[in-house]
Amino acid sequence: MLVKNSIVEVDIIDLSHEGAGVAKVDGLVFFIDNALPGERIRMRVLKLNKKMGYGKVEEYLSYSEHRNQNVDLAYLRSGIADLGHLTYGAQLDFKTKQVKDSLYKIAGISAIDIPKTLGMKAPLAYRNKAAVPVRRVKGQLETGFFRKNSHDLIPIEDFYIQDKEIDRLILATRDLLRRFDLKPYDEKEQTGLIRNIVVRRGHYSGQLMLVLVTTRPKIFRIEQVIEQLVKAFPNLLSVIQNINDKNTNAIFGKDFKTLYGQDTITDSMLGNSYAISAQSFYQVNTEMAEQLYQVAIDFSDLASDSVVIDAYSGIGTIGLSFAKKVKAVYGVEVVASAVQDAKENAKRNGITNANYICATAEDAMKEWRQKGIKPDVILVDPPRKGLTESFITSSVAMQPEKITYISCNVATMARDIKRYEELGYKLKKVQPVDLFPQTHHVECVALLVKA
C-alpha cells in the first residue's frame, strides 16, 4: 500500500504538458520533476490523493538517451528552464506533440498535419528582459530566482536563458547595492528598500534599461550607483525607479520615475523601430517573435487591398509588421498606454494606414461593423485564457475570409478552434514556434478559413 514517503521503482512513460515525468503505480498517475520518458527510477512519494500523486527522484536506475546531463539543477528547481534537462531536439518534438495532442483531445481534430516546431539555432541566452527579485540570503543581499512554489531565493549569477549583457548588468547592480549597503526587501517583516531589478535590452540596438523597484521613494546615494553603472555600461541609456509599497506578488507599483537618461529604449522587429518603456509588452525572444509573426503574415496571405483587424494589438508589433503591404490595419487593445504606444510606433515608422482604439475587441468589432468595415483577415493574439465566446461570435459576425490565431496556450487555442469550426470556419494549417527554449511553453499559429 502506497503512503507518503514510500519508495518504489517506476518507469517514466510520458511527460506532462508542464514537463514533469509521468509514471503509473497501482492505478495512480504520478508526476515527478526531472524525470524523462524511458528512465527507470526509485521514486519517493511526496503527496497522493485518490487518483494521482507527486513524487521525487531518489535514484536513477537508467537514463534517457535524450537527457541533457550538463544542466545546473538550480534552473529546474527555480522553473527558469524547466525543460533544460531535455536535449533541444527532443524539446521541439515534445512541443509538436503538445499541439497535436491538444487539437485531438480538445477539438477532436486529427486529420491535420502538424509540422515540427520551429526552433532556434542557439537556444540559450535569448531573453531580452529580466525581472529578478532581491533578497537577503545568509546575511547578504542576493539576486536570483525563487524556488518553485515558494518564496525562498536561490542565488543565481548565470541565468542561462537571459542575454549575457543583462546578466552582467544585474551582477554589477547587485555588487553596488551591497557596497552602498542598500537594504534588500524582506517580505515577512515588510522591511528593506530594494525589491526587484528589472533589465531590458534591445536585441538589435543593444540599448539597456535598468528599473529598480523600491518600497519607498528615497534611494540613498543612488547618484553614485548610477554613475558607476553608466561608466561600466555605455549602452545603459535609461535608469528608472518604480515604487511598489504594497504587500503583493506584482512586480511593479503605479509610480515610475526616470532617474537617468530616457524614459524608453528602442529596438526593431521585422524592419520597424519600437520605443519600449519599463512596462511595455514586448516579446522577450526577438529572434523567434520575428519568425512567429512572419508565419502569421504568410498564413494570412495578405494582398495590397487587404483589410486586417489586429485584435489584442498591444504596442502594434504585429499589425505594423505588415501595415505597409495592405490597405488598412484596425487594431484594438484594452490597455490605454499600449494603444498610445501603438499610435506613436505607427508615426515613428511612417505608417498612416494603421488605426488603433482602446476598447474590448467585441465592442470595437461592433463599432467597425456599423461603420461598414469589412476585414479580409482577423488576426488574434489573445492572453493565455484564450478568446471569450462573445469575441468568437463577434468575429464570425464580421465574416472575414480568414482568422489567423497566434496562441501562447495550445489548450485554449484548441477549445477556440473547436468553436470556430462549429460556426463555419475550418482549420487549414498549424505551425508551432519555440519562443521559450528550455521551458515547457509553446507558441503556435493556426489558420482558419471560412468554409
Side-chain angles (χ1 to χ4, degrees):
M1 161 116 172
L2 282 180
V3 291
K4 190 177 172 181
N5 285 326
S6 299
I7 292 180
V8 285
E9 282 191 19
V10 297
D11 291 310
I12 307 301
I13 54 171
D14 202 355
L15 278 179
S16 76
H17 67 279
E18 289 182 343
V22 177
K24 286 188 177 167
V25 191
D26 296 351
L28 295 178
V29 175
F30 278 87
F31 299 100
I32 308 112
D33 276 347
N34 196 11
L36 295 173
E39 294 184 332
R40 187 164 177 81
I41 63 166
R42 294 177 75 234
M43 175 188 81
R44 180 182 292 274
V45 176
L46 296 178
K47 200 168 141 188
L48 71 173
N49 60 32
K50 283 179 184 162
K51 289 183 178 172
M52 56 184 246
Y54 294 88
K56 79 169 199 178
V57 179
E58 283 289 302
E59 185 190 351
Y60 292 97
L61 302 172
S62 68
Y63 287 108
S64 162
E65 60 178 329
H66 300 300
R67 176 169 283 279
N68 174 11
Q69 298 279 9
N70 302 321
V71 71
D72 181 335
L73 291 183
Y75 302 134
L76 306 184
R77 291 188 189 118
S78 63
I80 290 177
D82 53 11
L83 272 194
H85 57 312
L86 190 59
T87 56
Y88 190 55
Q91 288 181 33
L92 297 177
D93 292 340
F94 163 76
K95 293 181 184 194
T96 309
K97 183 175 181 291
Q98 288 294 98
V99 176
K100 198 174 188 169
D101 289 353
S102 293
L103 284 171
Y104 178 63
K105 289 175 186 167
I106 298 166
I109 295 169
S110 59
I112 195 155
D113 180 45
I114 313 283
K116 189 176 171 95
T117 301
L118 292 177
M120 292 186 84
K121 284 191 179 72
L124 298 171
Y126 59 83
R127 281 187 68 97
N128 60 34
K129 179 188 173 187
V132 175
V134 181
R135 297 293 183 269
R136 192 179 299 285
V137 180
K138 295 179 181 166
Q140 177 162 257
L141 180 146
E142 293 283 6
T143 48
F145 246 77
F146 295 130
R147 194 182 296 277
K148 261 191 204 168
N149 310 318
S150 84
H151 273 211
D152 303 332
L153 191 89
I154 303 172
I156 292 173
E157 294 201 344
D158 172 355
F159 284 84
Y160 195 56
I161 59 174
Q162 282 171 191
D163 183 304
K164 291 296 168 221
E165 197 67 357
I166 289 179
D167 284 0
R168 274 197 343 111
L169 180 52
I170 289 169
L171 294 185
T173 307
R174 177 201 69 183
D175 293 347
L176 285 164
L177 295 176
R178 285 176 182 171
R179 192 167 117 200
F180 289 107
D181 197 27
L182 291 161
K183 300 286 185 276
Y185 179 58
D186 183 314
E187 274 172 297
K188 287 197 186 94
E189 304 294 327
Q190 294 290 296
T191 57
L193 176 69
I194 310 286
R195 290 175 76 124
N196 290 83
I197 295 170
V198 178
V199 180
R200 307 192 81 143
R201 181 172 190 257
H203 177 75
Y204 291 110
S205 69
Q207 294 178 6
L208 284 160
M209 170 188 282
L210 170 69
V211 187
L212 294 171
V213 183
T214 64
T215 54
R216 53 184 183 274
K218 191 164 170 47
I219 309 177
F220 177 61
R221 290 163 80 182
I222 186 62
E223 297 79 9
Q224 284 143 290
V225 173
I226 291 171
E227 189 187 333
Q228 297 283 337
L229 288 173
V230 171
K231 204 188 290 179
F233 296 87
N235 274 2
L236 180 57
L237 302 189
S238 171
V239 180
I240 289 172
Q241 178 184 9
N242 173 264
I243 299 154
N244 183 357
D245 58 2
K246 304 272 188 288
N247 182 12
T248 167
N249 285 339
I251 291 173
F252 288 146
K254 281 198 201 92
D255 299 328
F256 289 86
K257 181 174 146 197
T258 302
L259 303 176
Y260 166 83
Q262 311 164 174
D263 301 340
T264 59
I265 57 171
T266 58
D267 199 28
S268 58
M269 195 182 280
L270 290 177
N272 283 332
S273 167
Y274 296 95
I276 303 158
S277 68
Q279 70 267 50
S280 291
F281 173 77
Y282 191 73
Q283 292 280 14
V284 297
N285 184 343
T286 310
E287 183 189 320
M288 293 311 289
E290 288 186 316
Q291 288 209 39
L292 180 78
Y293 293 169
Q294 194 57 57
V295 168
I297 293 165
D298 294 345
F299 274 18
S300 303
D301 193 20
L302 301 167
S304 58
D305 59 350
S306 295
V307 173
V308 183
I309 286 177
D310 177 8
Y312 306 93
S313 54
I315 64 167
T317 42
I318 302 179
L320 297 177
S321 303
F322 55 75
K324 289 175 180 172
K325 299 186 182 88
V326 299
K327 185 177 171 185
V329 175
Y330 293 89
V332 56
E333 170 60 61
V334 289
V335 181
S337 61
V339 174
Q340 198 45 47
D341 286 347
K343 289 176 177 175
E344 292 293 328
N345 286 324
K347 204 181 290 177
R348 159 190 286 277
N349 292 290
I351 291 167
T352 53
N353 62 340
N355 314 271
Y356 290 97
I357 62 170
C358 184
T360 66
E362 292 91 319
D363 288 349
M365 285 195 289
K366 195 182 286 179
E367 187 186 313
W368 287 330
R369 200 162 84 242
Q370 283 162 359
K371 287 181 176 170
I373 290 163
K374 289 189 160 56
D376 302 284
V377 180
I378 295 180
L379 197 144
V380 297
D381 183 9
R384 292 191 64 73
K385 61 178 187 276
L387 302 172
T388 59
E389 173 65 17
S390 59
F391 177 92
I392 292 173
T393 51
S394 306
S395 60
V396 167
M398 295 207 79
Q399 292 292 294
E401 281 306 310
K402 301 174 195 133
I403 294 164
T404 305
Y405 193 134
I406 298 176
S407 167
C408 60
N409 181 344
V410 293
T412 54
M413 179 190 80
R415 177 202 70 200
D416 296 344
I417 285 172
K418 183 181 184 189
R419 186 70 185 114
Y420 273 122
E421 290 220 319
E422 290 163 0
L423 294 171
Y425 282 80
K426 189 100 185 97
L427 180 65
K428 286 290 183 197
K429 280 195 243 186
V430 176
Q431 177 62 65
V433 182
D434 191 20
L435 246 78
F436 304 101
Q438 316 304 330
T439 79
H440 69 274
H441 297 289
V442 57
E443 304 263 325
C444 195
V445 184
L447 174 68
L448 293 139
V449 175
K450 193 160 84 170

